[in-house]
């Protein structure tokens, strides 16, 4: 027992102090507020939360975050799945092309944001490509209609290859006899994809869905580097809103309440996804 | 009739093979493009970054006069120092983090003790709370503890990694208990069993866990932004993003910095490719 704790102590202390304690502190402090009259802080219960939900900027950030996740997660997973299918087919050089898709996962998020900030400039690479296709110049990051989509494209460039790795591993685990059996039954390629591959990669697909959702709730670097939440709040995702609330507005207690809301939101969405996946498993 | 059918299906096959190959190649190259363009621009003067963009031409993606000037300039710039900081912080994290995490994983996998269930819950909970989300309250605590703008402050949060513990524990569980018995008969204590039996047998999973720890630090942005922004302790990604948006940016040097910050993890991932894929996929599937 003592031996076990000697082995565990360093990791356990670091996890408790550096992960669990700050979450507990955030929860605790979210019930307090700076008091200028008395100095120090006073207990205000759920008032910080109530204020947040009555605050237009917060509500906008919440809405932007939900819209963003509702689009970006299915998009990334769909693309990763199709790419995983493509790159597990017999074709020339598919291992090489596949590794090019995986390559961006080595790029730190801040680096990709900086590189894409140049691509998205009015005179940048993005518009050169549009010109090549005969399309008009686009404002990308400076347009409230395009900024969020521009960030989604950048994030998909980074993320799709990573999620594809899990799905490729899943597809490679499908026994080839199943495909042979399907071929003998005269199944078409689409039919095989839908009835053999898809159900059998459900487990990795479920993992990718949950992990992708969590990581997309926490997007920060591209927003901070590319748009600072703008133009007109169109890219103000929750993580960035928390950051500005804590450091620009200096309202740490309300920022802590927002941290709690973000963590809860993440946990709820993950729990719902698990429920849905499990019930569809038994069906 | 059947012969005709056969040639038509094989023709169909070849067409499909070529089609899939071309499609695969196009998509792969499209993903490479932003990085390749960055690389080419890191080899030419910053003033030329936007010269070949409109209209697109072969010189957009190639240069006949590559020079390493930007990389030389990088060495003497703040970004160079920041890159060294990133390297230092990541290496220390991997070494100490691996020691801490493998010890914890060993205790969870090999030593039977009361309360192991509770400890395991702590590990799982700590990994359910996304680190970036609690970075802001944690930065507030670090200010109180006077750890802001110190290497200790930058390194500490990367050490205890629930994912790495999980990974190593799974691997340690597969090591036969007979070996522990044999070690006991040879007079080894728990520490000896850990050092002499478990660690040597788990080099592949240690590499996998080390990669997890390394990438956590190398890619982190929120934490070093909150905790280390003075000139001595700034990390690569933060220094790079500070360049962006400044009025007088030397794009050549900025791109050279981007390439350096990308090539280092890339080289490590490629070097340990087997373990990387293994560690990535087993965490998701098993």
């Amino acid at each position: 027992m003592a031996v076990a704790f000697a082995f565990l102590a360093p990791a356990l202390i670091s996890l408790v102090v550096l992960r669990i304690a700050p979450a507990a502190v955030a929860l605790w402090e979210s019930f307090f507020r700076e008091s200028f009259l008395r100095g120090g802080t006073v207990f205000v219960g759920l008032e910080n939360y109530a204020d947040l939900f009555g605050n237009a900027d917060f509500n906008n950030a919440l809405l932007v975050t939900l819209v963003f996740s509702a689009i970006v997660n299915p998009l990334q997973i769909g693309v990763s799945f199709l790419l995983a299918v493509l790159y597990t087919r017999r074709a020339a050089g598919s291992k090489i092309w596949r590794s090019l898709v995986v390559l961006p996962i080595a790029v730190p998020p801040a680096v990709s944001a900086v590189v894409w900030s140049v691509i998205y400039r009015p005179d940048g690479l993005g518009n050169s490509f549009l010109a090549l296709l005969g399309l008009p110049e686009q404002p990308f990051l400076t347009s409230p209609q395009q900024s969020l989509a521009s960030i989604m494209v950048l994030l998909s460039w980074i993320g799709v290859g990573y999620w594809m790795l899990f799905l490729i591993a899943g597809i490679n685990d499908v026994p080839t006899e199943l495909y042979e059996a399907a071929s003998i039954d005269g199944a078409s390629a689409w039919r095989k994809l839908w009835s053999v591959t898809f159900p059998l990669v459900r487990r990795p697909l479920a993992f990718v869905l949950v992990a992708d959702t969590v990581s997309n709730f926490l997007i920060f670097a591209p927003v901070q580097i590319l748009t600072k939440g703008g133009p007109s709040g169109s890219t103000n995702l929750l993580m960035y809103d928390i950051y500005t609330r804590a450091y620009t507005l200096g309202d740490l207690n309300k920022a802590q309440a927002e941290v709690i809301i973000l963590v809860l939101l993440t946990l709820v969405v993950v729990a719902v996804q698990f429920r849905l996946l499990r019930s569809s498993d038994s069906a | 009739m059947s012969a005709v059918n056969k040639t038509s299906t094989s023709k169909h096959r070849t067409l499909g093979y070529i089609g899939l190959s071309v499609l695969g190649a196009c998509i792969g190259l499209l993903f490479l493009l932003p990085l390749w363009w960055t690389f080419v621009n890191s080899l030419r003067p910053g003033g030329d970054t936007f010269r070949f963009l409109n209209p697109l031409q072969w010189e957009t993606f190639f240069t006949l006069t590559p020079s390493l000037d930007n990389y030389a300039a990088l060495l003497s710039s703040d970004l160079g120092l920041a890159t060294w900081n990133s390297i230092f912080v990541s290496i220390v994290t991997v070494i100490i983090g691996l020691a801490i995490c493998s010890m914890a994983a060993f205790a969870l996998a090999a030593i039977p003790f009361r309360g192991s269930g509770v400890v395991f819950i702590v590990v799982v909970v700590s990994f359910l709370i996304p680190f970036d989300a609690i970075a802001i309250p944690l930065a507030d605590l670090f200010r109180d503890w006077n750890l802001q703008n110190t290497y200790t402050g930058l390194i500490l949060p990367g050490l205890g990694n629930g994912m790495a513990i999980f990974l190593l524990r799974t691997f340690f569980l597969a090591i036969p208990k007979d070996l522990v018995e044999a070690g006991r008969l040879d007079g080894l204590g728990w520490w000896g069993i850990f050092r002499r039996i478990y660690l040597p047998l788990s080099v592949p999973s240690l590499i996998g866990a080390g990669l997890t720890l390394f990438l956590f630090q190398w890619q982190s942005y929120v934490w070093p932004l909150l905790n280390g922004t003075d000139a001595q302790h700034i990390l690569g990604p933060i220094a790079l993003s500070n360049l962006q948006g400044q009025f007088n940016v030397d794009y050549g040097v900025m791109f050279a910095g981007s390439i350096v910050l990308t090539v280092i993890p890339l080289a490590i991932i490629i070097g340990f490719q087997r373990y990387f894929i293994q560690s990535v996929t087993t965490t998701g599937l098993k």
Side-chain angles (χ1 to χ4, degrees):
Chain A
M1 180 100 181
V3 184
F5 276 100
F7 275 97
L8 282 166
L12 213 54
I13 292 170
S14 74
L15 289 180
V16 170
V17 174
L18 303 167
R19 296 288 195 284
I20 296 175
V25 166
L27 181 64
W28 177 251
E29 290 190 348
S30 72
F31 299 129
F32 289 83
R33 182 174 291 177
E34 295 276 349
S35 163
F36 297 105
L37 280 178
R38 290 171 34 190
T41 54
V42 286
F43 183 81
V44 292
L46 292 173
E47 237 174 77
N48 286 325
Y49 293 87
D51 282 1
L52 278 175
F53 283 104
N55 175 308
D57 286 337
F58 169 79
N59 284 327
N60 173 59
L62 192 60
L63 183 70
V64 170
T65 305
L66 292 175
V67 169
F68 170 78
S69 346
I71 300 174
V72 82
N73 295 316
L75 180 85
Q76 290 186 345
I77 293 164
V79 172
S80 314
F81 180 70
L82 291 178
L83 288 178
V85 171
L86 171 66
Y87 288 123
T88 46
R89 289 292 162 87
R90 267 167 42 83
S94 64
K95 283 241 166 73
I96 300 166
W97 311 129
R98 177 207 288 188
S99 55
L100 294 184
V101 175
V102 180
L103 196 64
I105 72 177
V107 186
V111 173
S112 10
V114 165
V115 168
W116 281 76
S117 75
V118 187
I119 293 177
Y120 280 143
R121 276 172 52 127
D123 53 352
L125 190 62
N127 274 322
S128 317
F129 264 90
L130 292 183
L132 188 73
L133 299 171
L135 295 169
E137 202 169 273
Q138 297 299 323
F140 299 120
L141 297 170
T142 50
S143 143
Q145 283 79 39
Q146 295 180 6
S147 53
L148 196 61
S150 304
I151 287 186
M152 287 182 195
V153 170
L154 148 66
L155 289 172
S156 303
W157 178 71
I158 305 172
V160 157
Y162 184 66
W163 306 122
M164 183 185 77
L165 283 180
F166 295 92
L167 300 177
I168 286 180
I171 291 176
N172 285 338
D173 280 348
V174 177
T176 42
E177 299 91 68
L178 288 178
Y179 290 111
E180 282 157 17
S183 299
I184 292 167
D185 290 346
S188 68
W190 278 117
R191 180 81 206 175
K192 273 188 263 183
L193 180 65
W194 188 247
S195 314
V196 181
T197 311
F198 195 67
L200 287 169
V201 291
R202 275 255 285 278
R203 269 170 64 86
L205 213 51
F207 168 78
V208 166
L209 176 64
V210 172
D212 192 24
T213 307
V214 172
S215 75
N216 282 324
F217 269 128
L218 300 169
I219 294 303
F220 177 77
V223 177
Q224 201 253 348
I225 293 170
L226 293 177
T227 62
K228 307 249 183 272
S232 24
S234 59
T235 58
N236 193 21
L237 296 172
L238 273 179
M239 262 307 286
Y240 187 73
D241 196 59
I242 293 173
Y243 173 79
T244 45
R245 201 171 297 281
Y247 295 101
T248 314
L249 305 176
D251 194 343
L252 207 54
N253 294 99
K254 230 174 268 172
Q256 313 269 41
E258 203 173 344
V259 167
I260 299 298
I261 293 172
L262 177 63
V263 172
L264 285 181
L265 183 67
T266 311
L267 292 180
V268 165
V269 171
V270 167
V272 168
Q273 284 173 343
F274 265 121
R275 276 300 283 265
L276 289 177
L277 292 164
R278 191 174 299 162
S279 63
S280 69
D281 252 355
S282 58
Chain B
M1 183 65 194
S2 78
V4 173
N5 234 332
K6 222 174 221 165
T7 49
S8 94
T9 51
S10 86
K11 211 180 207 172
H12 203 82
R13 284 247 174 89
T14 337
L15 267 179
Y17 183 82
I18 293 171
L20 287 176
S21 307
V22 171
L23 186 65
C26 289
I27 293 174
L29 291 174
L30 208 62
F31 270 83
L32 175 68
L33 207 72
L35 218 49
W36 176 257
W37 183 68
T38 306
F39 173 66
V40 169
N41 278 318
S42 75
L43 298 177
R44 62 177 159 220
D48 282 359
T49 300
F50 297 99
R51 222 175 105 193
F52 306 106
L53 278 180
N54 204 9
L56 275 185
Q57 51 206 281
W58 67 269
E59 280 180 290
T60 316
F61 300 109
F62 298 95
T63 172
L64 295 179
T65 51
S67 95
L68 293 175
D69 290 354
N70 292 322
Y71 290 90
L74 188 66
L75 278 179
S76 57
S77 75
D78 295 346
L79 192 52
L81 173 71
T83 308
W84 283 115
N85 278 338
S86 278
I87 294 173
F88 174 72
V89 165
S90 304
I91 289 176
V92 175
T93 302
V94 170
I95 294 170
I96 303 179
L98 263 188
I100 290 179
C101 293
S102 62
M103 279 165 61
F106 173 72
L108 285 170
I111 309 178
F113 66 99
R114 282 186 54 183
S116 65
V118 178
V119 173
F120 194 64
I121 289 170
V122 170
V123 172
V124 172
V125 167
S126 71
F127 151 176
L128 282 179
I129 302 170
F131 177 71
D132 281 358
I134 54 147
I136 287 171
L138 187 62
D140 199 36
L141 291 175
F142 269 46
R143 216 180 351 258
D144 294 343
W145 300 338
N146 285 322
L147 286 172
Q148 267 210 321
N149 282 314
T150 61
Y151 287 116
T152 315
L154 288 168
I155 292 166
L156 269 180
L159 297 180
N161 187 311
M163 182 81 114
I165 296 176
F166 211 79
L167 204 78
L168 289 166
R169 175 184 162 271
T170 313
F171 195 89
F172 288 165
L173 282 174
I175 293 177
K177 291 284 176 289
D178 301 0
L179 288 175
V180 177
E181 295 301 319
R184 283 235 167 280
L185 289 177
D186 287 345
L188 290 176
W190 283 117
W191 179 252
I193 292 170
F194 173 61
R195 275 288 315 275
R196 305 277 182 78
I197 299 175
Y198 275 70
L199 286 189
L201 282 175
S202 17
V203 174
S205 66
L206 286 171
I207 293 174
L211 277 167
T212 309
L213 290 161
F214 172 80
L215 288 175
F216 177 89
Q217 274 298 14
W218 191 265
Q219 307 216 324
S220 67
Y221 182 78
V222 177
W223 183 251
L225 180 71
L226 299 179
N227 198 63
T229 42
D230 75 0
Q232 274 79 49
H233 300 94
I234 197 166
L235 296 190
I238 313 297
L240 189 74
S241 77
N242 284 348
L243 286 183
Q244 193 269 344
Q246 274 175 19
F247 192 64
N248 261 326
V249 188
D250 186 330
Y251 283 100
V253 177
M254 191 174 98
F255 283 132
S258 302
I259 292 295
V260 170
L261 286 174
T262 301
V263 161
I264 292 172
L266 190 63
I268 294 175
I269 291 176
I270 290 175
F272 295 115
Q273 201 170 23
R274 211 154 52 88
Y275 308 106
F276 174 72
I277 306 257
Q278 227 171 40
S279 77
V280 157
T281 48
T282 47
T283 49
L285 308 179
K286 303 281 147 65

